[in-house]
Amino acid sequence: DAGVIQSPRHEVTEMGQEVTLRCKPISGHDYLFWYRQTMMRGLELLIYFNNNVPIDDSGMPEDRFSAKMPNASFSTLKIQPSEPRDSAVYFCASSLTPGGPLHFGNGTRLTVT
Amino acid sequence: EDKVVQSPLSLVVHEGDTVTLNCSYEVTNFRSLLWYKQEKKAPTFLFMLTSSGIEKKSGRLSSILDKKELFSILNITATQTGDSAVYLCAVGGGGTSYGKLTFGQGTILTVHP
């Protein structure tokens, strides 16, 4: 299996622009997670899905963030409008079982200027 | 709210030393505790500990879980420069936490030749 695939690897954008991050989970994994990592706050869970349904979005910072999972093999995280404080590495991860090992993608490094 | 605290935050040792990394947690209806290693990119899975598996070992790495005292340790013996990384601890719970993992802030381990 190719593992969790994220795109793009790097994204540099100006404040106010829309940003869309993409993720393809491992086939057969029913759980998909979006995490954000910064030096100050570490790895923070933003939202997770089970069988394409959002289960917990309490970690989404504010209304500027939204996530979708239209099918079992694709998810997006959108930030609109982006702000400099959104700069971070965004990881997508998937797992086979609840509370089980997460398989992480290589992340998207987002820089908002 | 689930909470994971790791200590120390950073550690510098020389090759051949033995290190012990600590992880304490508060979680509703504990299900699992996981250890990850993160080098330049995404975290990679090391161990998962549960009520039915409170001790794991793989080569020079070992981990134990104390469910009564709510902590876990990760031991690395005969450290090598390749062990330099951030080590992350995560816990999975039940109830409103079902399905997700909450991460600690990590321990930065630096192994000098």
Side-chain angles (χ1 to χ4, degrees), chain A residues 79-92:
Chain A
I79 308 172
Q80 166 64 20
S82 57
E83 296 183 2
R85 60 191 168 122
D86 300 330
S87 297
V89 179
Y90 290 80
F91 286 106
C92 176

Side-chain angles (χ1 to χ4, degrees), chain A residues 4-6 9 89-92 104-109, chain B residues 41-42:
Chain A
V4 176
I5 300 172
Q6 290 187 247
R9 292 295 304 277
V89 179
Y90 290 80
F91 286 106
C92 176
F104 285 84
N106 282 328
T108 294
R109 181 173 295 278
Chain B
K41 297 182 178 178

Side-chain angles (χ1 to χ4, degrees), chain A residues 6-42:
Chain A
Q6 290 187 247
S7 64
R9 292 295 304 277
H10 302 274
E11 178 79 41
V12 180
T13 190
E14 291 184 349
M15 184 173 65
Q17 296 299 304
E18 178 179 296
V19 174
T20 299
L21 311 182
R22 296 172 176 79
C23 175
K24 175 179 168 56
I26 293 173
S27 177
H29 281 195
D30 292 334
Y31 290 84
L32 183 139
F33 303 79
W34 284 99
Y35 282 88
R36 176 172 69 176
Q37 187 174 40
T38 60
M39 288 292 293
M40 290 295 294
R41 301 174 70 90

Side-chain angles (χ1 to χ4, degrees), chain B:
Chain B
E1 185 177 326
D2 300 342
K3 189 175 179 182
V4 180
V5 177
Q6 293 185 244
S7 64
L9 291 181
S10 66
L11 192 55
V12 180
V13 300
H14 288 91
E15 274 192 320
D17 290 348
T18 293
V19 298
T20 298
L21 310 182
N22 304 291
C23 174
S24 63
Y25 62 89
E26 296 174 22
V27 65
T28 303
N29 298 329
F30 172 87
R31 290 176 59 89
S32 57
L33 185 144
L34 295 88
W35 284 96
Y36 283 82
K37 177 182 182 181
Q38 185 175 23
E39 296 173 89
K40 296 292 186 185
K41 297 182 178 178
T44 54
F45 171 70
L46 294 175
F47 297 119
M48 184 168 81
L49 303 159
T50 65
S51 298
S52 58
I54 62 172
E55 189 167 347
K56 292 287 176 72
K57 182 176 172 62
S58 176
R60 296 177 295 104
L61 277 66
S62 63
S63 181
I64 62 171
L65 171 69
D66 188 326
K67 277 195 64 183
K68 183 179 177 183
E69 300 299 330
L70 307 183
F71 78 88
S72 174
I73 61 171
L74 176 67
N75 277 321
I76 309 175
T77 60
T79 52
Q80 302 170 356
T81 55
D83 295 326
S84 295
V86 178
Y87 290 84
L88 296 164
C89 173
V91 292
T96 56
S97 301
Y98 186 79
K100 66 182 183 184
L101 293 181
T102 300
F103 283 81
Q105 70 274 48
T107 293
I108 302 172
L109 174 64
T110 304
V111 182
H112 288 308

Side-chain angles (χ1 to χ4, degrees), chain A residues 69-102:
Chain A
M69 192 166 185
N71 57 64
S73 59
F74 184 66
S75 178
T76 59
L77 177 68
K78 186 177 294 187
I79 308 172
Q80 166 64 20
S82 57
E83 296 183 2
R85 60 191 168 122
D86 300 330
S87 297
V89 179
Y90 290 80
F91 286 106
C92 176
S94 67
S95 71
L96 194 57
T97 57
L102 297 181

